[in-house]
Amino acid sequence: MIITIKRDQDKKQLNNLLLWIKDLGLQADISEGEHSTVVGLVGDTSKVDIDLVKSLDIVENVTRISEPYKKANRKFHPEDTIINVGGYKIGGNHFQIMAGPCSVESEKQVTAIAKAVRESGATILRGGAFKPRTSPYAFQGLGVDGLKILLKVKEETGMPIVTELMNEKYLDEFADVDIIQIGARNMQNFDLLKAVGKVNKPILLKRGLAATMEEWLMSAEYIMANGNNKVILCERGIRTYETYTRNTLDLSAIPLMKEKTHLPIIVDPSHASGISRLVRPMSLAAVGAGADGLIIEVHNDPPHALCDGAQSLRPEQFDEVVKAIDVMLPVVNKVRG
Ligand code: PEP
Ligand code: MN
């Protein structure tokens, strides 16, 4: 349920309303926008007398929210959420590019790629230390050692880092990670979602391989319901009947999710296509669709990459993609960095 408060409301009356909501055992989420103040009610709102609330002087309107996601709902929070990552803003009219290798292979590799992508305009470094692989015989990532490498490169380059957490038992080791990634395969690992909901840092929530937009929003809701509102959504392609691409990039999810939620949404053209030559056109399509950023896999020697070489750009190809993105950004009224 949302209560829209009249403009120039009386603060005392608003406080009384908030106390009354609390007494009903409900949680009130206040969102102060430029044009109005919206109070979102979370919990069992069946006992709220709508007519009584509507009759209050300060109340403009009361509506029930039919969608199962509340905190993630744009009706609850009409303004875009903007998340600050080491001074870089994600959401609103900002556009951030995250780039780096699929997996952390060595300090030399990550350092070289980080420096190159930073030079081209990437602001956030990606790299997997814990890798969710389809085959148990495939490279599983360097684990905690890989994390240490990422943190070292963060210190050296000043780039914030984003990396995947597969098991909450490693949360302490992730203390200095800037964005915790929840991978597609774990989008509905509810215990993991609850655990990162209790952390005070941004979470990059990838869309599940076969998840509807509503299921994806409900996973964001899990994180938010546990106290963490800093959720960044990532469209990374979904499983369809098509086999020429690794996944099918659901571009329509970007404008649609922007209607449904106030959370920022970025696109991963690398996992969405699985083919490096498709990364440029899919990146530009994502910009055109209104994405708040991109996460792109870059490797200095793709044929020898331990994971996802076929979809990785070389640094010079990445540089060219960023230049093309820059040409497009003014059209969607976004500024990079
Ligand atoms: C990744 O980003 O390295 C990854 C494994 O992505 P996804 O969870 O989208 O497959
Ligand atoms: Mn990958």
Side-chain angles (χ1 to χ4, degrees):
M1 179 179 290
I2 55 167
I3 306 174
T4 311
I5 306 295
K6 281 182 188 155
R7 258 188 203 261
D8 308 320
Q9 43 12 51
D10 177 44
K11 282 262 180 271
K12 205 168 143 218
Q13 282 197 59
L14 179 61
N15 278 337
N16 286 342
L17 175 66
L18 296 177
L19 282 175
W20 178 75
I21 293 168
K22 211 172 151 212
D23 280 349
L24 286 174
L26 299 169
Q27 208 188 319
D29 241 76
I30 306 164
S31 167
E32 275 186 71
E34 232 177 87
H35 305 293
S36 63
T37 299
V38 169
V39 181
L41 270 53
V42 191
D44 178 9
T45 55
S46 57
K47 47 194 176 234
V48 178
D49 181 344
I50 290 199
D51 293 327
L52 178 74
V53 181
K54 270 187 183 159
S55 71
L56 299 175
D57 278 351
I58 56 163
V59 173
E60 170 130 6
N61 197 18
V62 183
T63 36
R64 284 207 183 271
I65 293 192
S66 48
E67 294 89 353
Y69 49 93
K70 312 289 177 192
K71 288 172 179 274
N73 204 312
R74 195 180 273 281
K75 290 176 188 159
F76 249 57
H77 189 288
E79 314 274 313
D80 286 343
T81 284
I82 298 176
I83 297 172
N84 194 317
V85 180
Y88 300 111
K89 291 182 178 143
I90 305 177
N93 69 340
H94 304 274
F95 192 90
Q96 299 300 339
I97 303 178
M98 308 177 188
C102 176
S103 340
V104 173
E105 296 173 11
S106 69
E107 189 180 330
K108 198 168 157 223
Q109 170 237 20
V110 184
T111 308
I113 298 169
K115 287 185 175 163
V117 297
R118 185 186 59 179
E119 187 68 25
S120 299
T123 47
I124 297 164
L125 175 67
R126 70 144 285 149
F130 296 90
K131 296 303 304 176
R133 303 304 300 276
T134 302
S135 165
Y137 308 117
F139 175 59
Q140 303 286 306
L142 296 180
V144 175
D145 289 341
L147 204 53
K148 285 186 187 147
I149 291 175
L150 273 176
L151 291 168
K152 214 165 163 190
V153 179
K154 168 184 168 172
E155 210 161 288
E156 203 184 322
T157 60
M159 292 177 88
I161 53 171
V162 52
T163 191
E164 178 164 353
L165 174 74
M166 287 170 59
N167 189 319
E168 68 166 288
K169 73 179 179 193
Y170 292 112
L171 260 178
D172 286 347
E173 274 90 348
F174 274 61
D176 293 323
V177 167
D178 300 274
I179 305 177
I180 299 179
Q181 176 173 325
I182 299 297
R185 289 152 193 84
N186 274 319
M187 189 205 82
Q188 284 189 320
N189 180 339
F190 300 115
D191 284 340
L192 190 58
L193 298 178
K194 285 179 194 167
V196 295
K198 295 187 181 92
V199 170
N200 181 24
K201 54 172 88 225
I203 308 299
L204 183 72
L205 179 63
K206 292 197 139 195
R207 182 177 183 179
L209 276 72
T212 63
M213 290 186 221
E214 188 163 294
E215 286 164 341
W216 188 14
L217 283 166
M218 289 310 286
S219 292
E221 191 78 12
Y222 256 95
I223 299 170
M224 299 172 90
N226 280 278
N228 187 353
N229 289 328
K230 294 184 213 155
V231 180
I232 304 158
L233 298 161
C234 178
E235 162 60 43
R236 46 77 73 206
I238 48 174
R239 181 67 63 83
T240 67
Y241 48 78
E242 184 51 68
T243 55
Y244 279 5
T245 49
R246 184 174 178 185
N247 291 290
T248 298
L249 178 57
D250 184 5
L251 280 170
S252 59
I254 302 150
L256 214 48
M257 290 290 274
K258 288 231 160 256
E259 283 174 26
K260 307 267 178 218
T261 181
H262 50 89
L263 298 171
I265 175 165
I266 68 164
V267 168
D268 175 345
S270 311
H271 291 90
S273 64
I275 303 169
S276 63
R277 66 179 188 283
L278 294 190
V279 170
R280 181 186 193 273
M282 292 305 99
S283 296
L284 297 181
V287 174
D292 297 305
L294 289 161
I295 181 163
I296 299 178
E297 285 187 347
V298 179
H299 199 283
N300 46 358
D301 184 12
H304 294 103
L306 294 182
C307 184
D308 287 350
Q311 66 192 35
S312 299
L313 296 182
R314 293 175 189 277
E316 57 276 17
Q317 293 171 314
F318 174 73
D319 189 70
E320 199 277 323
V321 173
V322 178
K323 288 197 167 81
I325 289 168
D326 280 348
V327 176
M328 278 192 73
L329 284 176
V331 177
V332 288
N333 197 22
K334 292 235 179 229
V335 184
R336 185 162 62 73

